[in-house]
Amino acid sequence: METNDFNAFCALLTDIHAKTFGEPVSKLNYRKSRIMSWLIFEATGVMLSYKTLSNFFEAVINKQPSSINPNASTLATLVHFLHQTDQRQQPLLVWFRYRNSILDVIM
């Protein structure tokens, strides 16, 4: 994952963790990753693997962008979960809008 994308991805996961658990981002244990997976499914209708979510958070905490490569649909699902946006939009468009909004703040 490229640096700018990874910075936006880190911000996304940090916000999702805060929304889900009301605490700063931390490593997801089995229980938390299952809860998050279920909540995302309930909100979006898309099931993301608890193991995938755990790997994402591991990469964010360890600052290892090369260890993950989420696809556009997964990124869009995470944005949909965070912002309750219209899921009929193109996944790449959803991700890049979110990415650009984060990068505008960072830079």
Side-chain angles (χ1 to χ4, degrees):
M1 185 173 244
E2 293 182 30
T3 303
N4 283 341
D5 288 342
F6 189 69
N7 289 337
F9 185 73
C10 290
L12 176 62
L13 288 186
T14 299
D15 290 346
I16 287 173
H17 194 279
K19 175 182 180 175
T20 304
F21 303 113
E23 61 188 30
V25 70
S26 63
K27 184 175 178 179
L28 286 186
N29 60 29
Y30 174 78
R31 182 177 155 273
K32 281 186 171 183
S33 61
R34 296 288 299 222
I35 289 169
M36 185 176 286
S37 177
W38 181 253
L39 290 173
I40 290 170
F41 174 73
E42 285 288 309
T44 67
V46 178
M47 179 61 75
L48 297 181
S49 163
Y50 74 93
K51 186 66 175 164
T52 297
L53 292 171
S54 181
N55 290 338
F56 287 169
F57 278 90
E58 186 81 23
V60 166
I61 290 167
N62 294 324
K63 298 185 182 349
Q64 297 175 321
S66 62
S67 68
I68 57 166
N69 190 23
N71 63 38
S73 295
T74 300
L75 294 169
T77 298
L78 292 170
V79 173
H80 289 314
F81 173 69
L82 182 62
H83 293 294
Q84 304 299 309
T85 58
D86 181 7
Q87 293 183 343
R88 295 173 292 175
Q89 296 177 6
Q90 293 292 329
L92 273 176
L93 181 61
V94 171
W95 165 245
F96 280 109
R97 280 186 181 157
Y98 176 82
R99 177 187 173 275
N100 290 340
S101 72
I102 294 298
L103 292 179
D104 287 345
V105 172
I106 293 173
M107 296 181 166

